[in-house]
Amino acid sequence: LDFYHEGEWLGPAKNYLITGEIWSGAYFIHGAFFEIFNPAIAWKIFGNETIGSSRLFIFVLIFFTKVFSLILTLKIAKFFKSDETTKIIYFALIATSILFLSEYQFGHSRSYIRYTDLPILIFLIFSMEVILKKNKNHYGFLIGLISSISLVFAVDRGIYVNLLILFLLAFFLLRKEFKIAISILLGLSLSWAI
């Protein structure tokens, strides 16, 4: 057990379940999802308020991180203008490498890609869809929706994602692709209204 780090996210979660308040009576380091909703969701799913259930949920999130990393790698491989064999070799090499960058560890993992990076991975996947394909305005809307969710998930990753959204928005405005820019702004508006 790592009493300091376990308590860092189990204490605020228990406080939330007792008081129903998110922002008072708890000290946040990473973000509301990491320190409140992650354990609270795990406890609801597994029916036990234990360290083990919250750790198991982290393993599920790490699995989804690996899946989204593979999806991003596949999209990058499809982007290359080369023969199918080269794309397959590229995907196999990069996918194998990227899977080793996120390990099944909890607490302060030394992984290069952590489950707190999920908003960034999702943003990159949606961005590739919007930039590389035409008539993908719904992905622009989804990019906008990620804005507030990413800040709740993990504050530092949320700041990165929001800065990237601003750069992406400026990119589409400079290219005079107003439909995509409007769809991103609509997603942003809804994200922050919720």
Side-chain angles (χ1 to χ4, degrees), residues 66 94-103 110-113:
K66 289 178 178 282
I94 298 300
T96 303
S97 300
I98 211 161
L99 287 176
F100 286 113
L101 294 177
S102 62
E103 301 171 356
R110 286 170 177 65
S111 296
Y112 291 101
I113 300 174

Side-chain angles (χ1 to χ4, degrees), residues 19-171:
T19 65
E21 295 179 0
I22 297 173
W23 305 110
S24 63
Y27 177 70
F28 287 95
I29 295 173
H30 304 286
F33 180 81
F34 181 77
E35 288 152 346
I36 290 182
F37 300 123
N38 175 16
I41 292 169
W43 294 339
K44 293 287 184 192
I45 290 172
F46 300 116
N48 292 318
E49 292 182 11
T50 64
I51 293 171
S53 62
S54 54
R55 285 183 175 183
L56 180 60
F57 190 64
I58 288 173
F59 287 150
V60 171
L61 291 173
I62 292 169
F63 172 76
F64 281 114
T65 301
K66 289 178 178 282
V67 168
F68 281 107
S69 297
L70 290 175
I71 291 169
L72 179 62
T73 305
L74 181 63
K75 295 213 174 280
I76 292 170
K78 286 182 178 180
F79 172 72
F80 288 121
K81 293 181 175 153
S82 60
D83 59 70
E84 283 302 309
T85 306
T86 306
K87 287 181 182 181
I88 291 170
I89 292 170
Y90 168 81
F91 175 73
L93 291 173
I94 298 300
T96 303
S97 300
I98 211 161
L99 287 176
F100 286 113
L101 294 177
S102 62
E103 301 171 356
Y104 283 104
Q105 294 181 358
F106 45 82
H108 287 286
S109 167
R110 286 170 177 65
S111 296
Y112 291 101
I113 300 174
R114 300 185 66 210
Y115 71 90
T116 53
D117 295 325
L118 274 170
I120 294 173
L121 293 170
I122 293 169
F123 169 80
L124 291 172
I125 291 167
F126 290 165
S127 295
M128 287 188 71
E129 289 293 326
V130 167
I131 291 170
L132 300 176
K133 297 180 180 176
K134 298 293 179 197
N135 299 322
K136 294 289 184 177
N137 294 340
H138 59 284
Y139 283 109
F141 181 77
L142 293 173
I143 287 169
L145 279 180
I146 294 171
S147 177
S148 67
I149 294 168
S150 66
L151 280 169
V152 170
F153 203 84
V155 175
D156 55 346
R157 274 47 168 217
I159 291 170
Y160 300 146
V161 168
N162 279 281
L163 286 174
L164 290 172
I165 289 171
L166 290 176
F167 283 123
L168 192 64
L169 190 59
F171 171 76

